[in-house]
Amino acid sequence: MQSTTTQSKSFVLAAMRGDKGGQITVLLILAAVILMPLANMLLPASNPLHVETFTISLMGKYLSYAMLALAVDLVWGYLGILSLGHGAFFALGGYAMGMYLMRQIGDRGVYGNATLPDFMVFLNWQELPWFWLGFDQFWFACLMVVLVPGALAYVFGYLAFRSRVSGVYLSIMTQALTYALMLAFFRNEMGFGGNNGLTDFKDILGFSLQQDTTKIVLFVLTGLALIVSYIVCRSVIGSRLGRVSMSIRDTESRTRFMGYDVDGIKLWMFVLSAVIAGIAGALYVPQVGIINPGEFAPLNSIEVVVWVALGGRATLFGAIVGALVINYAKSWFTVEFPEIWLFALGGLFVLSTMYFPKGLIGFISDKLSTTKARKEKSTLNKEEATA
C-alpha cells in the first residue's frame, strides 16, 4: 500500500514538474473544492462568506465544461486537430448517465411504470429497447460513459486518419458528425426522449439529487475529476508520446518520414480526449438535471474552441481558465444583457484573435517575461555603471 502511494505521488510530481501555471490552477481548484462546501455547510446564510447551494451546482457545471475544454486542448493544442465535434462525446457521456438516472426513477414517474421511462409510455412503447438494458446498474452506466464516446472516436478517427484527412476538412467532418447525431437524437423513434431528452431525475445511488449534500458531493467529484484529468493530460504531454504529438502538429510529413506511427498516435490521443469529454458529460447531467439533443448542437462545440482560444491554446490549464471565465461571463451577461450575449461571445473571439493570439495565459506570460527581461537588463546596466 505504501509503495503504491509513493508511486502515485511520484507520478503526480513528475507530471506537474515545471508547470507553474498548472500547479496554481490545480491548487485553486482544490481550494474551491474544499472551501466552498465548508462555507456552505458551516456558515449561516446571513454570513457574507456563505456559499449558496445553487452557486456550488453552478460551479460544478463550470468545472465539467472545463474538463471538456481540457479535452479539446489536448488534441487541438498538442496534436493540431481542430475538433468542432467534441460536444458529441460530451453529450454521449451525458446520455449514458441520463439513461441510468431515468432507470432509477422506477414507478415514481408520471405514469407509474416501473420499467419504461415516462416518454416511452407516452409514445406507446411496449417494452424496453435492448440498448437500455443494463442501465439500471451504476457500474454499467459508468462503463458506457467511457466506452461509447471512446468507441465512436476510435471508429471515426480510424477512418479519418487512415484516409489522411486533416486540416479544415477534418474539422468539417467532426462538425458533420455532431450535427448528424443531433438530428438522430431529435427523432422520437430513436428511444432517447426526442427533443425533450431525458429529465425529471430523482436520485443517484439512492441519494436524492435535490438534497444539498448530494449536490455538494457531485461538485467535489467534478473538481477532483478535473484535477485527475489535468494530471493525466500533463503526463501524456510530458512523455515521449507528447513530444511526438507536438512534432506531428508542427511537421506531420517529416514525423511520418522518420518512421513514427502518426495515424496510431493521432488515434490514441483522439480517443483519450473523447473519453475525458464523455466523463465530463456524465458529471454534468446530474448537476443540471437534464440532457437533450441540444447538447449535440455544432454551436456548442464551436463555443468550446472559443474557450480554449481565449484561455490559451497548448497550455492545458489555459483551457480550464478560459472555460471558467467565459461561462461566468455568460451567466452574468444572460442575466444582465441577455439579448447581446452572442455578440459578446463573438467579440471575445475577435479580440482574442487580434490582440491575444496566445490567449490570456500567453499574454500574461509574455508580459511577465518582458518585465523580467527589463529588470535583468536594468540590473546589468547598474552593475556595469558601478564597475
Side-chain angles (χ1 to χ4, degrees), residues 79 81 154 157-166 244 248 252 255-256 259-271:
L79 202 55
I81 298 175
Y154 182 84
Y158 181 85
L159 296 175
F161 301 145
R162 295 291 174 180
S163 301
R164 304 288 176 87
V165 180
S166 60
V244 176
I248 294 172
E252 180 176 335
T255 307
R256 192 184 298 275
Y260 288 102
D261 183 11
V262 171
D263 300 331
I265 293 172
K266 280 185 172 183
L267 184 60
W268 194 93
M269 294 282 282
F270 193 67
V271 170

Side-chain angles (χ1 to χ4, degrees), residues 18-338:
D19 182 23
K20 291 184 179 179
Q23 293 171 8
I24 294 172
T25 303
V26 168
L27 288 175
L28 288 176
I29 295 172
L30 193 59
V33 164
I34 295 172
L35 296 178
M36 289 182 68
L38 291 177
N40 173 271
M41 295 183 293
L42 300 181
L43 299 178
S46 58
N47 192 302
L49 297 179
H50 174 79
V51 178
E52 296 181 356
T53 305
F54 171 78
T55 303
I56 289 180
S57 295
L58 189 64
M59 190 63 186
K61 183 177 77 169
Y62 293 168
L63 292 177
S64 63
Y65 283 153
M67 280 186 68
L68 176 58
L70 179 69
V72 171
D73 193 28
L74 180 64
V75 292
W76 185 31
Y78 295 94
L79 202 55
I81 298 175
L82 176 56
S83 173
L84 299 180
H86 258 57
F89 306 128
F90 181 83
L92 287 172
Y95 263 97
M97 181 55 65
M99 291 166 74
Y100 163 76
L101 295 174
M102 289 295 291
R103 293 296 308 273
Q104 298 307 298
I105 295 175
D107 58 4
R108 292 173 294 173
V110 175
Y111 298 100
N113 193 304
T115 304
L116 298 180
D118 283 339
F119 73 89
M120 290 186 184
V121 179
F122 178 77
L123 295 173
N124 294 320
W125 289 58
Q126 300 302 313
E127 58 182 12
L128 196 69
W130 64 267
F131 49 83
W132 276 77
L133 299 177
F135 278 98
D136 55 333
Q137 300 295 323
F138 182 73
W139 68 266
F140 183 83
C142 291
L143 187 63
M144 292 300 105
V145 164
V146 174
L147 284 183
V148 174
L152 177 62
Y154 182 84
V155 173
F156 176 85
Y158 181 85
L159 296 175
F161 301 145
R162 295 291 174 180
S163 301
R164 304 288 176 87
V165 180
S166 60
V168 66
Y169 298 103
L170 183 59
S171 299
I172 293 172
M173 286 178 62
T174 57
Q175 193 172 48
L177 172 68
T178 188
Y179 186 67
L181 286 170
M182 181 185 72
L183 294 180
F185 274 71
F186 264 121
R187 300 176 66 89
N188 287 328
E189 58 267 28
M190 285 288 290
F192 296 105
N195 61 327
N196 293 321
L198 308 178
T199 188
D200 195 31
F201 308 134
K202 305 296 184 184
D203 51 46
I204 181 171
L205 291 174
F207 298 97
S208 173
L209 289 171
Q210 307 306 317
Q211 290 183 351
D212 291 354
T213 306
T214 306
K215 295 179 180 180
I216 291 173
V217 170
L218 288 170
F219 163 72
V220 171
L221 290 176
T222 306
L224 295 177
L226 175 58
I227 292 174
V228 172
S229 298
Y230 180 84
I231 293 173
V232 169
C233 290
R234 178 54 61 186
S235 65
V236 170
I237 296 305
S239 67
R240 186 167 177 264
L241 175 63
R243 292 191 291 273
V244 176
S245 298
M246 287 182 276
S247 176
I248 294 172
R249 176 195 64 190
D250 299 332
T251 54
E252 180 176 335
S253 57
R254 181 178 296 180
T255 307
R256 192 184 298 275
F257 179 76
M258 292 175 64
Y260 288 102
D261 183 11
V262 171
D263 300 331
I265 293 172
K266 280 185 172 183
L267 184 60
W268 194 93
M269 294 282 282
F270 193 67
V271 170
L272 174 61
S273 176
V275 168
I276 294 174
I279 295 172
L283 291 167
Y284 168 84
V285 167
Q287 296 183 87
V288 300
I290 187 172
I291 179 69
N292 59 43
E295 296 297 336
F296 286 102
L299 180 61
N300 290 353
S301 297
I302 295 173
E303 192 175 328
V304 179
V305 173
V306 176
W307 303 344
V308 177
L310 184 63
R313 178 189 170 197
T315 59
L316 293 181
F317 69 90
I320 296 175
V321 172
L324 296 178
V325 169
I326 293 182
N327 279 287
Y328 176 81
K330 181 178 181 179
S331 296
W332 185 82
F333 267 104
T334 50
V335 172
E336 301 295 333
F337 308 101

